[in-house]
């Protein structure tokens, strides 16, 4: 038996007391040896247990799960699933948009919901498809966007017959040519690649139909701009304008700065006419007076200018010099008349 073992087994009370004193000096007490873990340690254990439980959860094909983006390349996205292995979404499984760029669309820290497609036997990763998940989740989101009249920024990615194509929530949306602008669109190819603001106006999941429109947003903005301009116009203003359209009830006059007003048929001229076309032609330059402003609309008059002209006309008098030739009286005039 070795000397160390002997000494350990034959320790005297004095030896044990010395050891105890040494432990006390080092800050080790019997109570410390049996101390209960503090709350922080308990919470850490609870968190660890929670993560452990999550890592052992069962994931099946077809499940929709959410993960946090921890990596993005040009061809795939890597997700932290709080699982013992990571999730991967390939470019072709991310979006149906052929112009989609992962590095522009996805960023570290983003949360993405995706459908479990399969387990990659080689790498042990979970292969996911956000495109399939979108088919399940996107339509509800699109209905919400339509209900809230949310403005969306989309990029036009294709031109088709009578309109263009843009993607929202991974779903292919159609924008009719008549909904692209307030004016007539002649060449749809000029819109390719442009980013515009649109709203969802039709959502039909059953027929896989999504229709978008920019026109409502443009019209609202034009109305706001018009109100701002009209606020600077005062009743009584006399200006020149161009006849831009003729209607049975009057003529619309463009007075510049994007503003137009209506000259009602009764305000075109003094005499009664059956139609504005009897007096006016599109393109005519006319002078008008602003006679009313209501709800952002200008009421104009051509007839009122006659009253203005009458007010401006004043009686003119001439002072003649007092000479013999002009200071004659009635008697002298008769004296020169030979009967």
């Amino acid at each position: 038996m070795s000397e160390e073992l002997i000494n350990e087994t034959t320790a005297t009370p004095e030896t044990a007391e010395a050891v105890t004193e040494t432990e006390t000096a080092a800050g080790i007490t019997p109570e410390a040896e049996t101390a209960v873990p503090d709350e922080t340690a308990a919470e850490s254990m609870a968190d660890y247990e929670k993560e452990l439980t999550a890592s052992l959860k069962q994931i099946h094909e077809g499940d929709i799960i959410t993960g946090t983006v921890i990596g993005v390349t040009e061809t795939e996205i890597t997700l932290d699933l709080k699982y013992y292995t990571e999730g991967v979404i390939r470019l072709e499984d991310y979006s149906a948009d052929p112009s989609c760029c992962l590095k522009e669309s996805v960023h570290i820290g983003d949360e993405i919901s995706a459908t479990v497609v399969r387990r990659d036997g080689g790498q042990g990763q979970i292969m996911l498809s956000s495109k399939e998940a979108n088919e399940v989740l996107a339509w509800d989101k699109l209905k919400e966007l339509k209900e809230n009249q949310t403005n969306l920024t989309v990029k036009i990615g294709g031109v088709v017959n009578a309109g263009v194509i843009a993607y929202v929530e991974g779903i292919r949306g159609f924008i009719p040519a008549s909904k692209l602008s307030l004016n007539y669109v002649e060449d749809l190819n000029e819109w390719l690649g442009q980013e515009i603001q649109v709203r969802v106006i039709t959502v039909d999941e059953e027929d896989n139909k999504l229709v978008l429109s920019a026109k409502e947003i443009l019209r609202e903005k034009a109305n706001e701009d018009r109100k701002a301009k009209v606020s600077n116009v005062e009743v009584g203003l006399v200006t020149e304008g161009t006849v831009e359209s003729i209607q049975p009830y009057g003529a619309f006059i463009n007075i510049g700065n994007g503003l137009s007003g209506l000259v009602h048929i009764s305000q075109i001229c003094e005499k009664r006419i059956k139609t504005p076309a009897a007096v006016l032609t599109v393109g005519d330059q006319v002078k008008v007076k602003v006679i009313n402003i209501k709800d952002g609309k200008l009421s104009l008059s051509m007839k009122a200018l006659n009253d203005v002209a009458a007010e401006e006309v004043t009686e003119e008098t001439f002072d003649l010099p007092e000479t013999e030739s002009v200071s004659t009286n009635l008697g002298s005039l008769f004296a020169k008349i030979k009967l």
Side-chain angles (χ1 to χ4, degrees):
M1 182 179 294
S2 68
E3 185 177 350
E4 290 181 0
L5 182 58
I6 292 173
N7 290 337
E8 185 177 345
T9 57
T10 59
T12 65
E14 291 79 7
T15 305
E17 184 177 351
V19 171
T20 302
E21 291 177 356
T22 303
E23 290 176 343
T24 303
I28 303 174
T29 64
E31 290 79 3
E33 292 178 0
T34 59
V36 178
D38 60 19
E39 289 186 15
T40 303
E43 289 176 0
S44 298
M45 290 295 292
D47 291 342
Y48 177 76
E49 183 179 356
K50 187 176 180 180
E51 290 185 5
L52 180 61
T53 302
S55 69
L56 296 175
K57 65 185 177 182
Q58 295 295 315
I59 293 180
H60 305 283
E61 290 185 10
D63 288 350
I64 295 178
I65 57 178
T66 301
T68 304
V69 177
I70 57 175
V72 184
T73 68
E74 294 180 354
T75 58
E76 65 181 30
I77 305 164
T78 304
L79 300 180
D80 176 10
L81 303 175
K82 303 298 182 186
Y83 195 57
Y84 72 87
T85 188
E86 298 168 343
V88 174
I89 305 175
R90 293 174 179 168
L91 173 60
E92 59 269 25
D93 293 321
Y94 175 72
S95 173
D97 185 353
S99 64
C100 175
C101 175
L102 291 182
K103 288 190 172 182
E104 292 181 1
S105 303
V106 183
H107 305 89
I108 302 295
D110 289 352
E111 287 194 347
I112 297 178
S113 295
T115 302
V116 177
V117 178
R118 67 183 183 282
R119 187 186 299 274
D120 188 337
Q123 301 291 330
Q125 297 167 318
I126 305 297
M127 305 308 295
L128 306 167
S129 172
S130 58
K131 187 167 65 175
E132 287 190 18
N134 281 342
E135 292 293 328
V136 178
L137 303 174
W139 289 105
D140 289 337
K141 178 66 174 178
L142 291 170
K143 289 174 184 176
E144 181 182 336
L145 293 172
K146 178 179 181 293
E147 183 178 347
N148 295 333
Q149 295 188 1
T150 304
N151 291 354
L152 307 168
T153 299
V154 298
K155 185 175 182 179
I156 296 175
V159 175
V160 294
N161 185 31
V164 296
I165 298 299
Y167 287 80
V168 179
E169 298 292 326
I171 302 297
R172 182 179 184 269
F174 174 64
I175 309 175
S178 60
K179 297 293 185 179
L180 269 175
S181 172
L182 294 177
N183 302 316
Y184 174 74
V185 176
E186 187 171 350
D187 185 3
L188 290 172
N189 288 301
E190 293 180 355
W191 293 79
L192 192 61
Q194 288 192 33
E195 288 190 349
I196 62 172
Q197 281 199 316
V198 297
R199 286 181 189 162
V200 177
I201 59 173
T202 301
V203 179
D204 190 338
E205 182 178 0
E206 186 175 343
D207 291 337
N208 196 34
K209 184 178 180 181
L210 172 64
V211 182
L212 312 171
S213 173
K215 198 165 190 175
E216 287 73 14
I217 299 174
L218 295 172
R219 184 180 290 117
E220 289 175 5
K221 186 176 184 303
N223 288 339
E224 290 175 2
D225 291 344
R226 176 183 172 82
K227 287 180 181 178
K229 292 174 181 177
V230 168
S231 66
N232 294 321
V233 177
E234 295 182 356
V235 172
L237 172 69
V238 176
T239 185
E240 289 187 351
T242 305
V243 178
E244 61 181 8
S245 70
I246 295 177
Q247 307 297 330
Y249 50 83
F252 285 95
I253 312 298
N254 184 341
I255 62 173
N257 197 27
L259 292 177
S260 296
L262 173 67
V263 178
H264 190 267
I265 188 171
S266 63
Q267 293 294 323
I268 291 178
C269 59
E270 293 287 350
K271 64 181 181 179
R272 190 165 184 170
I273 56 176
K274 292 184 177 180
T275 172
V279 178
L280 299 173
T281 304
V282 172
D284 284 352
Q285 296 292 314
V286 295
K287 201 169 185 179
V288 293
K289 179 181 180 180
V290 178
I291 58 173
N292 191 24
I293 301 174
K294 184 178 180 181
D295 299 329
K297 297 178 181 179
L298 300 177
S299 293
L300 309 176
S301 175
M302 295 169 59
K303 185 175 72 173
L305 292 174
N306 295 331
D307 298 333
V308 173
E311 292 174 2
E312 292 178 348
V313 173
T314 58
E315 184 178 353
E316 296 186 24
T317 59
F318 299 93
D319 294 327
L320 299 177
E322 293 185 4
T323 62
E324 289 186 1
S325 58
V326 296
S327 60
T328 182
N329 55 38
L330 186 59
S332 61
L333 287 176
F334 281 108
K336 294 180 181 181
I337 296 176
K338 293 181 179 181
L339 299 176

